Amino acid sequence: MIYRTLTFFAPAAVLSAWATVMLQLVVSGRIHAMLSPMFRNDVLAASLLLYALSVAYLVFHDPVSAVPESLMPRGKELGRWLLLLLPVVLAASFSSTTLSASTLQNRAPTSADAMPSLSGESAENVQAALSSDPNQPVPLEVTDLITISHTDAQIQAFNGRKVRVVGLYQPDGSKLVRWIMWCCAADAMPVSVTVNGQTAGAAAITNKESPWAEVVGTVTFPSTLGHIVPQIEADSVQPAKEPDEPYLSP
Amino acid sequence: MILLATSDLPDSGGIVWPDLALAFLAIILEGTPFLLLGAIVSGLMEVFLPADLVRRWLPRSKTQGVFAALGAGILFPICECGAMPIVQRLIRKGVPPAVATTYLLAAPALNPLALASTYLAFRNQDPWLIVSLRFGFSAAVLIFLGLWLARLRPEEMIRAETISRGNVPTNPETSFQPRPGSGGLSQFINAVVRDFLNVLFFFIIGAAVAAVFSVGLNRHLLEPIGQNPVFGPLAGIALAELLCLCSTTDAFIIAAFTPFSTAAKIAFLVAGPLIDLKLYWLYRSTYTPSFVHRLWARTLGATFFLTLIYALKG
């Protein structure tokens, strides 16, 4: 009897659990650490549909006429339901909000010319920055500095200018990193600029749980082994709030 | 083994469990809405698409059907997660498994969006050459696979449960049973729930395996052999099998692998959308293990053969 009740409610329970996990990730904003904006509404819609399906299943499923016993051994069937339920619940409970330095090492491009091609938004940011007040630090993204490094005219326009850049500070390599995401965190790739100079404030970041930092300094574009690598001579490195979008779009 | 080897490298980061959970959830969240959409389309087909009509639409010979499926893969692109429940339903409606499977393989591989993203990713590295090679080699491998599939009997390919679910009212695995007299809506709901949960089970396993390599594999491990004419394509194939990327994203990742030769990059772009560790498990929801193993071997063998010839001629 208990077994039959379990198998009756199991599909609805699994559908509801998945819907709850997905909705919780959307509502809490944790989905920003996992998925590109273009897929987030799909997850919201899917979670609502899964709720509706679980209710509809309970309404339209007939326990009386159901076959008396499943043909699959009980232990195996129970294992199947647990596999449908547990991994997603556990992953939602224990997942990080930012990919760690360890994964960064595994995914980092080996050389500057391996940086991915960027377009669209970054090019627009760079154009807007060109017309900003030259006496004030220009707010730029790590990806903007890489976009600039691909064009001689823009290198000349920005070389020696004060910039303000937010990213994940890696004190061991003196790098400021941003992750670029195409679809989801599984395909995210880190890009970085070198940070030299005043890094006294970096100790505060190293000791904090959040590695987000704002670097203000002078940008240069030295050539290393034939490749131009953006570099910031830092005036200050300060802890910063995590941006609303932890990943940048390519 | 690769992960263990990776952990000995000086630059290796190893696996961080919260990162693993993050990557797993990311893959799951990206794929589940499409899987659900596929299950809904499958449910609609169950209720509204008579099997007789499907059979009347089909070309008479399986070989013609295979080529029609290749065309359908270009015209009606859908990601592999969404395609799986639809393909299951098509098979149950009487579409020959060879034809349905060719469509399943062609939809992500010849997807126009995948070709457009390839152009964008390689726009600084001879994009038309890469796009042409990706499309041409993928089409050649698919024709080779389609002609092989056309010679197989359905029972050699398809799990017994995949076929039987269309003919009996109950699912032996989960005891689903519609309420009597509730009509088409009940039939639809049960078909959607059944198909969604059935494929989801294998998708979870595939996503978990993909997440392990996504965070734990040092991507530079294969770089030293990426330029070699023989080992380069093998490295590209190995990377595609382990990283399990979607066909609309993979080009951006491999474009940044500058130590890889063009042949190695093309091997990555051709093999990945056809089968990888995640798709292996997804395919197991419909096909017999022995068939999936043979499909895997033929796909990788054909990809290696074509890219090796290209590497040696180049």
Side-chain angles (χ1 to χ4, degrees):
Chain A
M1 184 64 190
I2 293 172
Y3 178 73
R4 287 193 63 183
T5 307
L6 185 73
T7 52
F8 171 69
F9 284 108
V14 166
L15 294 174
S16 302
W18 275 71
T20 305
V21 167
M22 292 163 84
L23 193 61
Q24 195 271 336
L25 292 173
V26 172
V27 172
S28 67
R30 286 177 60 202
I31 197 168
H32 292 212
M34 296 163 192
L35 219 51
S36 156
M38 68 178 163
F39 292 112
R40 291 177 198 161
N41 287 337
D42 299 348
V43 175
L44 178 62
S47 69
L48 299 177
L49 270 173
L50 287 175
Y51 275 129
L53 266 180
S54 66
V55 172
Y57 166 81
L58 290 175
V59 171
F60 289 106
H61 184 84
D62 180 22
V64 177
S65 64
V67 288
E69 288 292 332
S70 166
L71 300 183
M72 185 183 276
R74 287 183 178 188
K76 199 172 172 186
E77 180 155 354
L78 187 65
R80 188 184 176 89
W81 290 119
L82 287 176
L83 195 139
L84 283 166
L85 199 58
L86 287 183
V88 74
V89 174
L90 291 174
S93 307
F94 297 113
S95 73
S96 55
T97 52
T98 309
L99 290 166
S100 68
S102 172
T103 301
L104 191 149
Q105 280 185 336
N106 282 339
R107 294 195 193 169
T110 43
S111 64
D113 64 335
M115 293 293 184
S117 303
L118 303 165
S119 62
E121 200 178 328
S122 185
E124 287 170 21
N125 286 351
V126 170
Q127 283 304 320
L130 275 172
S131 54
S132 63
D133 181 356
N135 297 317
Q136 294 295 320
V138 188
L140 286 171
E141 300 286 5
V142 171
T143 46
D144 298 337
L145 294 175
I146 292 164
T147 301
I148 291 167
S149 72
H150 291 157
T151 313
D152 287 342
Q154 289 184 339
I155 289 173
Q156 284 179 7
F158 280 95
N159 200 32
R161 280 191 72 166
K162 292 272 185 204
V163 293
R164 176 183 288 120
V165 189
V166 172
L168 297 155
Y169 186 70
Q170 305 292 317
D172 52 340
S174 294
K175 286 187 186 305
L176 198 64
V177 176
R178 286 302 295 266
W179 288 89
I180 300 177
M181 183 203 282
W182 280 271
C183 292
C184 71
D187 67 33
M189 177 186 279
V191 292
S192 63
V193 293
T194 305
V195 179
N196 293 327
Q198 173 55 258
T199 54
I205 299 155
T206 312
N207 297 329
K208 273 168 65 85
E209 199 171 291
S210 168
W212 288 96
E214 181 187 79
V215 175
V216 176
T218 305
V219 67
T220 56
F221 299 89
S223 178
T224 309
L225 299 172
H227 304 299
I228 293 170
V229 184
Q231 190 170 298
I232 301 172
E233 198 65 32
D235 297 331
S236 69
V237 179
Q238 298 295 330
K241 189 171 152 285
E242 180 176 333
D244 291 337
E245 290 293 342
Y247 298 86
L248 294 174
S249 298
Chain B
M1 285 294 285
I2 290 172
L3 292 172
L4 289 173
T6 305
S7 62
D8 292 335
L9 290 174
D11 290 329
S12 167
I15 292 182
V16 175
W17 291 105
D19 285 5
L20 179 65
L22 179 68
F24 171 73
L25 268 184
I27 296 168
I28 288 283
L29 288 179
E30 188 192 352
T32 301
F34 293 102
L35 204 162
L36 183 59
L37 182 67
I40 290 170
V41 172
S42 169
L44 291 173
M45 287 164 64
E46 166 71 10
V47 178
F48 294 112
L49 189 63
D52 289 348
L53 190 64
V54 174
R55 289 194 197 99
R56 251 185 286 150
W57 281 349
L58 283 171
R60 291 198 181 279
S61 86
K62 273 203 283 190
T63 308
Q64 285 175 345
V66 162
F67 282 96
L70 283 178
I74 302 171
L75 294 175
F76 305 108
I78 185 167
C79 78
E80 52 272 29
C81 300
M84 188 50 81
I86 297 173
V87 164
Q88 284 185 358
R89 183 67 56 192
L90 285 172
I91 291 169
R92 278 179 232 142
K93 289 282 179 181
V95 173
V99 176
T101 306
T102 306
Y103 172 71
L104 175 74
L105 297 169
L110 303 180
N111 188 333
L113 282 175
L115 298 176
S117 70
T118 306
Y119 180 89
L120 278 177
F122 283 89
R123 63 184 180 279
N124 299 328
Q125 307 175 42
D126 206 347
W128 285 116
L129 173 72
I130 302 290
V131 170
S132 307
L133 288 173
R134 177 174 199 172
F135 181 82
F137 284 8
S138 295
V141 174
L142 281 164
I143 290 169
F144 164 72
L145 292 174
L147 295 176
W148 167 62
L149 293 170
R151 295 204 312 270
L152 296 180
R153 294 191 309 278
E155 57 271 26
E156 287 181 272
M157 302 170 61
I158 306 297
R159 293 172 70 203
E161 303 93 309
T162 304
I163 299 171
S164 67
R165 273 184 212 128
N167 302 325
V168 295
T170 56
N171 178 347
E173 290 178 9
T174 51
S175 307
F176 289 131
Q177 181 78 356
R179 194 181 290 278
S182 50
L185 185 57
S186 167
Q187 202 182 353
F188 170 74
I189 297 291
N190 280 278
V192 173
V193 172
R194 192 170 54 199
D195 288 356
F196 175 71
L197 292 179
N198 178 51
V199 181
L200 188 67
F201 176 82
F202 291 92
F203 181 51
I204 288 169
I205 300 172
V209 174
V212 167
F213 288 103
S214 170
V215 300
L217 175 71
N218 187 317
R219 297 183 180 185
H220 313 300
L221 193 67
L222 298 167
E223 283 183 355
I225 56 171
Q227 281 289 345
N228 184 287
V230 177
F231 293 109
L234 284 177
I237 289 170
L239 201 63
E241 297 309 294
L242 298 175
L243 294 185
C244 307
L245 298 167
C246 295
S247 62
T248 49
T249 309
D250 54 4
F252 292 102
I253 304 300
I254 198 65
F257 273 72
T258 43
F260 271 32
S261 65
T262 301
K265 289 176 180 173
I266 295 300
F268 176 93
L269 294 171
V270 172
L274 296 174
I275 192 164
D276 57 33
L277 276 174
K278 184 182 78 182
L279 292 175
Y280 168 82
W281 285 103
L282 211 56
Y283 293 166
R284 288 279 301 269
S285 68
T286 303
Y287 302 100
T288 61
S290 115
F291 168 74
V292 179
H293 295 153
R294 284 190 290 162
L295 176 69
W296 206 348
R298 278 173 168 77
T299 303
L300 303 195
T303 304
F304 178 63
F305 176 72
L306 288 174
T307 48
L308 178 66
I309 288 176
Y310 178 81
L312 294 175
K313 291 219 166 192

